[in-house]
Structures are given as structure tokens and as C-alpha cells.
Amino acid sequence: MPKQCEICGKMRQVGNNVSHSNIKTKRVFKPNLQKVRVQLDSGEVKCMNVCTTCIRSGKVAKPAARQIEE
């Protein structure tokens, strides 16, 4: 399974490290993924890997706090 946001599909991006002498080597930018409990439209609660951009923008609906059963 790739390191990918399950909401927006954000994946790793490739770029360059640039040294002081302007030598370029390949590097990878990874998305900031968090494992979050998400409440789906059907009411089901599921754990998903979601990027922090989706969490901050409100694309993810978090469920109410868990009930403690005694």
C-alpha cells in the first residue's frame, strides 16, 4: 500500500537536494499522514490514513468520543 492520503490521494513527490556548490541529487517529499478515526456518510466509523491538509480543511468528519462500556 503506498503512502497516500485516502481522502485526496496526495502521494510522495520527487525533487532535488541542492548543495551550496549547486550539485543536485534526488530526494523525496512525503505527505504528513495521520491515522484518524473517520465517520463516513453512512455513519460507519473507520480508521484511515489522512493528510493533515484534509484534517485542517474539514474534509474529514471525526466521530463523537468513544463510549466507555462497564
Side-chain angles (χ1 to χ4, degrees):
M1 186 175 116
K3 300 258 183 190
Q4 181 175 3
C5 176
E6 295 182 35
I7 303 293
C8 67
K10 184 183 286 187
M11 298 177 68
R12 71 180 198 152
Q13 291 183 324
V14 179
N16 287 317
N17 277 330
V18 181
S19 70
H20 180 68
S21 61
N22 208 29
I23 296 172
K24 295 168 183 72
T25 56
K26 288 294 186 182
R27 63 160 295 180
V28 174
F29 296 93
K30 295 179 183 174
N32 187 0
L33 296 179
Q34 306 294 321
K35 190 164 224 151
V36 178
R37 291 176 72 238
V38 176
Q39 186 164 10
L40 304 175
D41 294 334
S42 62
E44 179 185 1
V45 176
K46 183 179 174 185
C47 281
M48 299 175 82
N49 285 323
V50 181
C51 68
T52 54
T53 308
C54 290
I55 295 171
R56 284 198 316 263
S57 66
K59 293 180 182 177
V60 175
K62 291 190 178 183
R66 292 183 182 178
Q67 299 285 334
I68 299 175
E69 297 178 17
E70 293 182 25

mmCIF file of all heavy atoms in Angstrom, residues 31-58:
data_model
loop_
_atom_site.group_PDB
_atom_site.id
_atom_site.type_symbol
_atom_site.label_atom_id
_atom_site.label_comp_id
_atom_site.label_asym_id
_atom_site.label_seq_id
_atom_site.Cartn_x
_atom_site.Cartn_y
_atom_site.Cartn_z
ATOM 1 N N PRO A 31 4.026 13.023 2.216
ATOM 2 C CA PRO A 31 2.911 13.734 2.839
ATOM 3 C C PRO A 31 2.859 13.443 4.335
ATOM 4 O O PRO A 31 3.282 12.370 4.779
ATOM 5 C CB PRO A 31 1.684 13.172 2.117
ATOM 6 C CG PRO A 31 2.097 11.824 1.667
ATOM 7 C CD PRO A 31 3.563 11.929 1.357
ATOM 8 N N ASN A 32 2.335 14.392 5.098
ATOM 9 C CA ASN A 32 2.209 14.238 6.546
ATOM 10 C C ASN A 32 0.911 13.482 6.828
ATOM 11 O O ASN A 32 -0.154 14.077 6.974
ATOM 12 C CB ASN A 32 2.206 15.621 7.206
ATOM 13 C CG ASN A 32 2.246 15.542 8.701
ATOM 14 O OD1 ASN A 32 2.284 14.465 9.280
ATOM 15 N ND2 ASN A 32 2.223 16.697 9.343
ATOM 16 N N LEU A 33 0.995 12.146 6.883
ATOM 17 C CA LEU A 33 -0.184 11.304 7.073
ATOM 18 C C LEU A 33 -0.394 10.983 8.549
ATOM 19 O O LEU A 33 0.565 10.710 9.275
ATOM 20 C CB LEU A 33 -0.041 9.998 6.292
ATOM 21 C CG LEU A 33 0.022 10.122 4.775
ATOM 22 C CD1 LEU A 33 0.190 8.747 4.155
ATOM 23 C CD2 LEU A 33 -1.199 10.810 4.232
ATOM 24 N N GLN A 34 -1.639 11.014 8.958
ATOM 25 C CA GLN A 34 -2.027 10.670 10.326
ATOM 26 C C GLN A 34 -3.099 9.593 10.257
ATOM 27 O O GLN A 34 -3.968 9.622 9.387
ATOM 28 C CB GLN A 34 -2.591 11.892 11.057
ATOM 29 C CG GLN A 34 -1.680 13.095 11.051
ATOM 30 C CD GLN A 34 -0.411 12.865 11.846
ATOM 31 O OE1 GLN A 34 -0.430 12.244 12.905
ATOM 32 N NE2 GLN A 34 0.698 13.365 11.324
ATOM 33 N N LYS A 35 -3.042 8.623 11.191
ATOM 34 C CA LYS A 35 -4.091 7.607 11.267
ATOM 35 C C LYS A 35 -5.212 8.175 12.128
ATOM 36 O O LYS A 35 -5.007 8.480 13.299
ATOM 37 C CB LYS A 35 -3.542 6.322 11.871
ATOM 38 C CG LYS A 35 -4.493 5.165 11.762
ATOM 39 C CD LYS A 35 -3.786 3.859 11.993
ATOM 40 C CE LYS A 35 -4.282 2.901 10.949
ATOM 41 N NZ LYS A 35 -3.331 1.904 10.586
ATOM 42 N N VAL A 36 -6.405 8.362 11.534
ATOM 43 C CA VAL A 36 -7.502 9.074 12.182
ATOM 44 C C VAL A 36 -8.767 8.231 12.088
ATOM 45 O O VAL A 36 -9.017 7.566 11.084
ATOM 46 C CB VAL A 36 -7.746 10.432 11.474
ATOM 47 C CG1 VAL A 36 -8.907 11.178 12.079
ATOM 48 C CG2 VAL A 36 -6.506 11.281 11.522
ATOM 49 N N ARG A 37 -9.580 8.265 13.150
ATOM 50 C CA ARG A 37 -10.907 7.648 13.097
ATOM 51 C C ARG A 37 -11.832 8.615 12.366
ATOM 52 O O ARG A 37 -11.954 9.765 12.749
ATOM 53 C CB ARG A 37 -11.435 7.363 14.501
ATOM 54 C CG ARG A 37 -10.659 6.269 15.201
ATOM 55 C CD ARG A 37 -11.128 6.072 16.623
ATOM 56 N NE ARG A 37 -12.436 5.445 16.651
ATOM 57 C CZ ARG A 37 -13.515 5.977 17.223
ATOM 58 N NH1 ARG A 37 -13.444 7.145 17.812
ATOM 59 N NH2 ARG A 37 -14.663 5.344 17.220
ATOM 60 N N VAL A 38 -12.486 8.130 11.308
ATOM 61 C CA VAL A 38 -13.317 8.964 10.450
ATOM 62 C C VAL A 38 -14.731 8.410 10.438
ATOM 63 O O VAL A 38 -14.926 7.194 10.348
ATOM 64 C CB VAL A 38 -12.751 8.984 9.012
ATOM 65 C CG1 VAL A 38 -13.643 9.764 8.092
ATOM 66 C CG2 VAL A 38 -11.348 9.552 9.002
ATOM 67 N N GLN A 39 -15.714 9.310 10.541
ATOM 68 C CA GLN A 39 -17.097 8.880 10.411
ATOM 69 C C GLN A 39 -17.528 9.113 8.967
ATOM 70 O O GLN A 39 -17.541 10.237 8.478
ATOM 71 C CB GLN A 39 -18.012 9.646 11.363
ATOM 72 C CG GLN A 39 -19.431 9.133 11.355
ATOM 73 C CD GLN A 39 -20.224 9.627 12.542
ATOM 74 O OE1 GLN A 39 -19.772 10.502 13.276
ATOM 75 N NE2 GLN A 39 -21.386 9.067 12.740
ATOM 76 N N LEU A 40 -17.895 8.025 8.284
ATOM 77 C CA LEU A 40 -18.306 8.098 6.889
ATOM 78 C C LEU A 40 -19.738 8.611 6.790
ATOM 79 O O LEU A 40 -20.451 8.728 7.788
ATOM 80 C CB LEU A 40 -18.176 6.723 6.236
ATOM 81 C CG LEU A 40 -16.782 6.095 6.316
ATOM 82 C CD1 LEU A 40 -16.801 4.684 5.745
ATOM 83 C CD2 LEU A 40 -15.770 6.942 5.582
ATOM 84 N N ASP A 41 -20.185 8.916 5.563
ATOM 85 C CA ASP A 41 -21.541 9.426 5.350
ATOM 86 C C ASP A 41 -22.606 8.422 5.781
ATOM 87 O O ASP A 41 -23.702 8.794 6.189
ATOM 88 C CB ASP A 41 -21.745 9.775 3.874
ATOM 89 C CG ASP A 41 -20.870 10.944 3.455
ATOM 90 O OD1 ASP A 41 -20.513 11.759 4.333
ATOM 91 O OD2 ASP A 41 -20.543 11.034 2.255
ATOM 92 N N SER A 42 -22.268 7.119 5.713
ATOM 93 C CA SER A 42 -23.233 6.079 6.102
ATOM 94 C C SER A 42 -23.334 5.927 7.617
ATOM 95 O O SER A 42 -24.151 5.156 8.102
ATOM 96 C CB SER A 42 -22.822 4.740 5.482
ATOM 97 O OG SER A 42 -21.550 4.352 5.978
ATOM 98 N N GLY A 43 -22.483 6.650 8.374
ATOM 99 C CA GLY A 43 -22.485 6.562 9.831
ATOM 100 C C GLY A 43 -21.451 5.590 10.372
ATOM 101 O O GLY A 43 -21.250 5.501 11.579
ATOM 102 N N GLU A 44 -20.808 4.857 9.493
ATOM 103 C CA GLU A 44 -19.794 3.887 9.899
ATOM 104 C C GLU A 44 -18.520 4.612 10.318
ATOM 105 O O GLU A 44 -18.143 5.624 9.736
ATOM 106 C CB GLU A 44 -19.499 2.965 8.709
ATOM 107 C CG GLU A 44 -18.450 1.919 8.976
ATOM 108 C CD GLU A 44 -18.105 1.124 7.731
ATOM 109 O OE1 GLU A 44 -18.682 1.405 6.662
ATOM 110 O OE2 GLU A 44 -17.241 0.249 7.836
ATOM 111 N N VAL A 45 -17.854 4.093 11.362
ATOM 112 C CA VAL A 45 -16.595 4.668 11.841
ATOM 113 C C VAL A 45 -15.460 3.768 11.370
ATOM 114 O O VAL A 45 -15.501 2.556 11.551
ATOM 115 C CB VAL A 45 -16.593 4.798 13.374
ATOM 116 C CG1 VAL A 45 -15.253 5.306 13.864
ATOM 117 C CG2 VAL A 45 -17.705 5.734 13.818
ATOM 118 N N LYS A 46 -14.439 4.385 10.757
ATOM 119 C CA LYS A 46 -13.342 3.635 10.156
ATOM 120 C C LYS A 46 -12.042 4.373 10.391
ATOM 121 O O LYS A 46 -12.015 5.607 10.413
ATOM 122 C CB LYS A 46 -13.620 3.506 8.659
ATOM 123 C CG LYS A 46 -12.633 2.710 7.881
ATOM 124 C CD LYS A 46 -13.047 2.652 6.421
ATOM 125 C CE LYS A 46 -11.988 1.976 5.595
ATOM 126 N NZ LYS A 46 -12.306 2.000 4.167
ATOM 127 N N CYS A 47 -10.929 3.640 10.563
ATOM 128 C CA CYS A 47 -9.602 4.253 10.674
ATOM 129 C C CYS A 47 -9.029 4.424 9.272
ATOM 130 O O CYS A 47 -9.049 3.498 8.471
ATOM 131 C CB CYS A 47 -8.674 3.390 11.507
ATOM 132 S SG CYS A 47 -8.938 3.551 13.261
ATOM 133 N N MET A 48 -8.526 5.631 8.994
ATOM 134 C CA MET A 48 -7.978 5.921 7.670
ATOM 135 C C MET A 48 -6.681 6.696 7.811
ATOM 136 O O MET A 48 -6.466 7.387 8.809
ATOM 137 C CB MET A 48 -8.960 6.766 6.861
ATOM 138 C CG MET A 48 -10.292 6.126 6.615
ATOM 139 S SD MET A 48 -11.437 7.234 5.796
ATOM 140 C CE MET A 48 -10.926 7.050 4.114
ATOM 141 N N ASN A 49 -5.808 6.578 6.787
ATOM 142 C CA ASN A 49 -4.609 7.404 6.704
ATOM 143 C C ASN A 49 -4.977 8.678 5.951
ATOM 144 O O ASN A 49 -5.315 8.625 4.774
ATOM 145 C CB ASN A 49 -3.491 6.672 5.973
ATOM 146 C CG ASN A 49 -2.854 5.613 6.828
ATOM 147 O OD1 ASN A 49 -2.693 5.794 8.024
ATOM 148 N ND2 ASN A 49 -2.495 4.504 6.222
ATOM 149 N N VAL A 50 -4.914 9.827 6.653
ATOM 150 C CA VAL A 50 -5.362 11.092 6.091
ATOM 151 C C VAL A 50 -4.259 12.125 6.272
ATOM 152 O O VAL A 50 -3.613 12.177 7.320
ATOM 153 C CB VAL A 50 -6.653 11.563 6.800
ATOM 154 C CG1 VAL A 50 -7.154 12.854 6.224
ATOM 155 C CG2 VAL A 50 -7.733 10.498 6.709
ATOM 156 N N CYS A 51 -4.052 12.976 5.255
ATOM 157 C CA CYS A 51 -3.044 14.034 5.372
ATOM 158 C C CYS A 51 -3.581 15.163 6.252
ATOM 159 O O CYS A 51 -4.788 15.351 6.388
ATOM 160 C CB CYS A 51 -2.624 14.549 4.000
ATOM 161 S SG CYS A 51 -3.882 15.448 3.108
ATOM 162 N N THR A 52 -2.679 15.909 6.838
ATOM 163 C CA THR A 52 -3.075 16.974 7.756
ATOM 164 C C THR A 52 -3.812 18.098 7.048
ATOM 165 O O THR A 52 -4.619 18.789 7.656
ATOM 166 C CB THR A 52 -1.842 17.546 8.476
ATOM 167 O OG1 THR A 52 -0.882 17.940 7.505
ATOM 168 C CG2 THR A 52 -1.236 16.512 9.400
ATOM 169 N N THR A 53 -3.587 18.276 5.746
ATOM 170 C CA THR A 53 -4.316 19.300 4.992
ATOM 171 C C THR A 53 -5.808 18.981 4.969
ATOM 172 O O THR A 53 -6.647 19.869 5.137
ATOM 173 C CB THR A 53 -3.775 19.387 3.556
ATOM 174 O OG1 THR A 53 -2.354 19.549 3.599
ATOM 175 C CG2 THR A 53 -4.405 20.533 2.810
ATOM 176 N N CYS A 54 -6.159 17.715 4.765
ATOM 177 C CA CYS A 54 -7.569 17.309 4.752
ATOM 178 C C CYS A 54 -8.196 17.441 6.137
ATOM 179 O O CYS A 54 -9.363 17.809 6.264
ATOM 180 C CB CYS A 54 -7.705 15.878 4.257
ATOM 181 S SG CYS A 54 -7.357 15.677 2.512
ATOM 182 N N ILE A 55 -7.428 17.149 7.187
ATOM 183 C CA ILE A 55 -7.952 17.267 8.553
ATOM 184 C C ILE A 55 -8.248 18.730 8.864
ATOM 185 O O ILE A 55 -9.316 19.067 9.378
ATOM 186 C CB ILE A 55 -6.950 16.675 9.572
ATOM 187 C CG1 ILE A 55 -6.797 15.169 9.346
ATOM 188 C CG2 ILE A 55 -7.405 16.964 10.995
ATOM 189 C CD1 ILE A 55 -5.683 14.548 10.154
ATOM 190 N N ARG A 56 -7.316 19.633 8.528
ATOM 191 C CA ARG A 56 -7.489 21.058 8.828
ATOM 192 C C ARG A 56 -8.595 21.695 8.006
ATOM 193 O O ARG A 56 -9.294 22.587 8.479
ATOM 194 C CB ARG A 56 -6.179 21.810 8.568
ATOM 195 C CG ARG A 56 -5.133 21.618 9.625
ATOM 196 C CD ARG A 56 -4.065 22.700 9.549
ATOM 197 N NE ARG A 56 -3.632 22.985 8.195
ATOM 198 C CZ ARG A 56 -2.557 22.479 7.605
ATOM 199 N NH1 ARG A 56 -1.802 21.636 8.260
ATOM 200 N NH2 ARG A 56 -2.234 22.821 6.384
ATOM 201 N N SER A 57 -8.779 21.241 6.750
ATOM 202 C CA SER A 57 -9.752 21.877 5.871
ATOM 203 C C SER A 57 -11.176 21.408 6.137
ATOM 204 O O SER A 57 -12.115 21.953 5.555
ATOM 205 C CB SER A 57 -9.397 21.606 4.410
ATOM 206 O OG SER A 57 -9.538 20.232 4.121
ATOM 207 N N GLY A 58 -11.359 20.389 6.981
ATOM 208 C CA GLY A 58 -12.698 19.927 7.313
ATOM 209 C C GLY A 58 -13.238 18.870 6.372
ATOM 210 O O GLY A 58 -14.434 18.572 6.400
#
